[in-house]
Amino acid sequence: MADELLKVESIEKSFGKQKVLDGVSFILNKGEVKVIVGPSGTGKSTLLRCINLLNPPDKGKIYLQNKEITSLKHTLVPAVRQKIGMVFQHFALFNHLTAIDNVALGLLKVRKMNKTDAYKKAIDELNRVGLADHKDKYPAQLSGGQKQRVGIARALAMDPLLILFDEPTSALDPELIGEVLAVMQALAKDGMTMICVTHEMGFAKSVANEVIFMEKGKIIEQGLPEELFSNAKNPRTREFLSKISQLYGETGHK
Amino acid sequence: MEIFEHNLLFLFKNMPMLLSGALTAILLTFTSIIIGLVVGIMVTFFRIYGSKFTKKLMFAYEWLLKGTPPLILIFIFYFGLGNYLNLGEFFAAALALGLRSSAYQAQIYRGAVLSISTEQTEAGLSLGLSRFRTFYLVILPQAIRLSLPGFTNEFTIVLKDTPLAYGVGLVEILKAGRDILAQQLSAAIVSGKVTASLNPFIVYLTCALIYFVLFEIFYYSLNALSKKFQIPGFIFDK
């Protein structure tokens, strides 16, 4: 029996009258990589934002390491978020801070590390994404791919239990996608637990333990990547995945 | 030419009066701007993070102050309020110009805060920072920088609005110039040499020149400040 890290139990979320999530459940084990695909507006990003309580679900429960996090007091929420890293579609780097200060901010202000240790760790994390040479550059001086790698380093620095990736490559120029996917693949191989909303099928095939297909706030089908890609049971899944492979290519980036 | 020299000489003699008027104008500008800054930041905070009710209240506040001529505001605070509470010319004018400025400053700060992507707030929260610390560590340092050009503009507008305090008798630059003219005119009438009176053109041009010099000084210092705090390579992108 694998080590259960996160359990999402029939969560629902509405914005106004629109129901964005309609009873989503899954279990994520330690070291597992899940890829979530689906048409836009089906609640993939909302699902991630429910998990780290940026948009807490209206109904349903979420457990992190067997402890329910959906009913916590306000004051305890930041401690949960600290354990769950997040990487954003538009990078969300703090524009007024250099690359290394972006990575060190959480270490200094949340984990209260002293300056020497915090910057030492920040450099290690930048090294891990291959950007130690760019540590003193401001976000505006970095390329999109470099910004996203700093974003990943910033999440890694907090030593999270898992990292949520919200379409990490969809705002990038095609030639910059590879460097970000390479970092993500390396993380997956190092045993990082990840949930990735992405349409990079090559990435899904090479590292995902499970692919989840979502539509209209529900999980339509889930399974091993090769199963889902070659013989999905649901016609909508087949249709969507074939469109995606046409767009992004079968093999993707390796 | 003689008249011209006479005018300049007279103005030169009365320079202390004009300069003390200038000092009053500077003090009035700073006091008004600081009132505007403190109130403006509070209005900004409640308009962005407040409840529905406070948001509406702040909107109404901005709307009323932007829609009223500043001279009328000064009269309200001096003559209107004067029946109950005598603020004096200086503070009545400072309060009127300051509160009006707060409405415009609030608009500048709100624009700056809202131009910073919500993803950055989410990123701060996702690191485990509290909402307040995210605002303080992530949003505010950027908002201040983004506000500086607009603030510079607002500062010079308040500076150039200070002559309105003339309306309640505050001796600032314009009133000082006008007093000099009046004194000289009565002296000329008494001595019978009306041709020797001061030329209003020259007096008011001098007043304008003093404002222009002040404007330049503040404009360039504030712009230098904006440049100093500019984020390297940063161009307005979210």
Side-chain angles (χ1 to χ4, degrees):
Chain A
M1 177 65 198
D3 191 0
E4 182 181 309
L5 181 65
L6 180 84
K7 188 160 90 179
V8 175
E9 214 173 69
S10 47
I11 57 170
E12 295 180 20
K13 177 81 188 171
S14 303
F15 291 116
K17 279 185 183 160
Q18 207 197 346
K19 201 158 208 176
V20 184
L21 291 177
D22 191 4
V24 172
S25 309
F26 64 84
I27 289 171
L28 178 76
N29 293 321
K30 194 167 178 293
E32 199 183 352
V33 176
K34 268 197 202 323
V35 166
I36 303 177
V37 296
S40 62
T42 43
K44 300 170 307 229
S45 292
T46 307
L47 176 60
L48 296 188
R49 281 167 171 75
C50 279
I51 292 171
N52 70 357
L53 305 174
L54 286 173
N55 288 325
D58 301 331
K59 272 189 197 160
K61 288 172 178 169
I62 298 170
Y63 300 86
L64 183 69
Q65 293 179 312
N66 297 315
K67 280 184 207 107
E68 193 189 337
I69 57 169
T70 27
S71 60
L72 287 175
K73 277 197 295 184
H74 264 342
T75 46
L76 297 175
V77 168
V80 173
R81 292 203 187 111
Q82 188 188 334
K83 295 180 196 159
I84 303 175
M86 180 137 180
V87 173
F88 295 84
Q89 185 174 10
H90 299 284
F91 328 127
L93 294 187
F94 308 132
N95 284 320
H96 62 305
L97 299 177
T98 57
I100 190 159
D101 283 330
N102 263 279
V103 181
L105 186 77
L107 300 173
L108 291 166
K109 303 294 177 183
V110 180
R111 288 178 62 178
K112 316 272 180 205
M113 281 167 77
N114 69 46
K115 270 195 168 173
T116 328
D117 293 345
Y119 283 101
K120 195 170 165 292
K121 183 157 173 58
I123 267 290
D124 288 346
E125 300 300 350
L126 281 177
N127 239 331
R128 205 162 156 191
V129 298
L131 282 177
D133 292 344
H134 298 276
K135 69 182 174 66
D136 293 321
K137 285 194 179 160
Y138 284 85
Q141 298 166 320
L142 298 170
S143 72
Q146 290 169 336
K147 281 188 211 178
Q148 193 56 295
R149 281 146 67 197
V150 174
I152 294 171
R154 179 175 66 184
L156 281 173
M158 302 302 287
D159 294 324
L161 296 170
L162 73 152
I163 302 185
L164 311 171
F165 291 83
D166 186 13
E167 305 207 25
T169 56
S170 63
L172 292 174
D173 287 341
E175 74 266 28
L176 301 177
I177 291 175
E179 61 187 75
V180 172
L181 288 181
V183 167
M184 289 169 66
Q185 273 165 341
L187 284 183
K189 296 208 165 107
D190 282 353
M192 176 56 77
T193 314
M194 297 155 68
I195 301 179
C196 312
V197 172
T198 181
H199 289 156
E200 294 296 335
M201 295 301 111
F203 172 77
K205 277 178 188 163
S206 66
V207 296
N209 302 93
E210 187 178 52
V211 175
I212 294 177
F213 175 65
M214 271 180 77
E215 190 170 46
K216 292 179 186 146
K218 285 188 168 128
I219 292 180
I220 303 291
E221 197 167 350
Q222 61 197 101
L224 295 170
E226 52 269 34
E227 266 174 31
L228 224 63
F229 288 122
S230 53
N231 52 16
K233 291 179 191 77
N234 190 296
R236 266 301 289 151
T237 317
R238 275 203 298 273
E239 192 189 338
F240 182 81
L241 289 177
S242 87
K243 270 188 195 158
I244 287 291
S245 338
Q246 275 170 25
L247 266 175
Y248 289 85
E250 281 284 346
T251 47
H253 306 265
K254 285 243 170 166
Chain B
M1 202 58 214
E2 198 184 315
I3 290 173
F4 189 66
E5 272 171 28
H6 166 77
N7 272 294
L8 283 188
L9 194 70
F10 199 85
L11 264 181
F12 189 72
K13 269 193 215 151
N14 284 285
M15 223 10 135
M17 202 165 157
L18 280 174
L19 288 183
S20 111
L23 186 67
T24 307
I26 294 170
L27 284 176
L28 182 58
T29 307
F30 272 97
T31 315
S32 307
I33 279 290
I34 287 168
I35 293 173
L37 182 81
V38 174
V39 179
I41 286 177
M42 292 197 299
V43 172
T44 308
F45 190 84
F46 286 116
R47 249 200 99 171
I48 297 177
Y49 301 103
S51 66
K52 252 188 190 159
F53 174 73
T54 50
K55 276 181 187 168
K56 277 194 181 143
L57 199 70
M58 294 303 121
F59 174 78
Y61 172 86
E62 278 184 39
W63 187 63
L64 276 175
L65 280 164
K66 279 183 202 163
T68 317
L71 185 56
I72 295 183
L73 282 177
I74 294 176
F75 276 30
I76 290 173
F77 280 105
Y78 187 69
F79 297 114
L81 205 65
N83 283 338
Y84 315 98
L85 173 72
N86 188 9
L87 291 169
E89 306 93 66
F90 183 86
F91 284 105
L95 204 60
L97 292 177
L99 291 182
R100 174 169 162 276
S101 180
S102 76
Y104 285 98
Q105 288 190 42
Q107 191 179 347
I108 294 166
Y109 306 142
R110 191 173 68 252
V113 169
L114 295 182
S115 76
I116 299 162
S117 65
T118 46
E119 263 197 357
Q120 284 192 54
T121 304
E122 290 183 331
L125 294 175
S126 76
L127 289 178
L129 290 168
S130 68
R131 214 158 250 287
F132 177 75
R133 290 188 16 111
T134 301
F135 178 77
Y136 178 73
L137 292 167
V138 175
I139 306 302
L140 198 62
Q142 296 182 62
I144 290 172
R145 289 173 167 93
L146 292 172
S147 298
L148 267 171
F151 178 82
T152 305
N153 207 22
E154 176 60 19
F155 193 99
T156 59
I157 286 171
V158 171
L159 171 73
K160 286 176 290 173
D161 277 349
T162 54
L164 290 169
Y166 178 13
V168 291
L170 183 71
V171 189
E172 40 65 64
I173 298 167
L174 184 62
K175 176 93 166 71
R178 179 106 181 107
D179 286 353
I180 292 166
L181 261 179
Q183 274 171 27
Q184 223 283 325
L185 184 65
S186 50
I189 289 169
V190 169
S191 66
K193 285 194 283 183
V194 182
T195 46
S197 70
L198 273 180
N199 186 343
F201 202 29
I202 293 178
V203 175
Y204 290 132
L205 272 181
T206 311
C207 291
L209 184 71
I210 295 175
Y211 270 108
F212 189 70
V213 170
L214 291 179
F215 167 81
E216 290 285 297
I217 292 171
F218 289 130
Y219 190 79
Y220 280 99
S221 351
L222 285 168
N223 264 350
L225 202 67
S226 296
K227 281 219 180 80
K228 185 172 151 49
F229 287 110
Q230 207 169 39
I231 303 165
F234 188 77
I235 15 165
F236 270 89
D237 78 336
K238 286 209 244 173

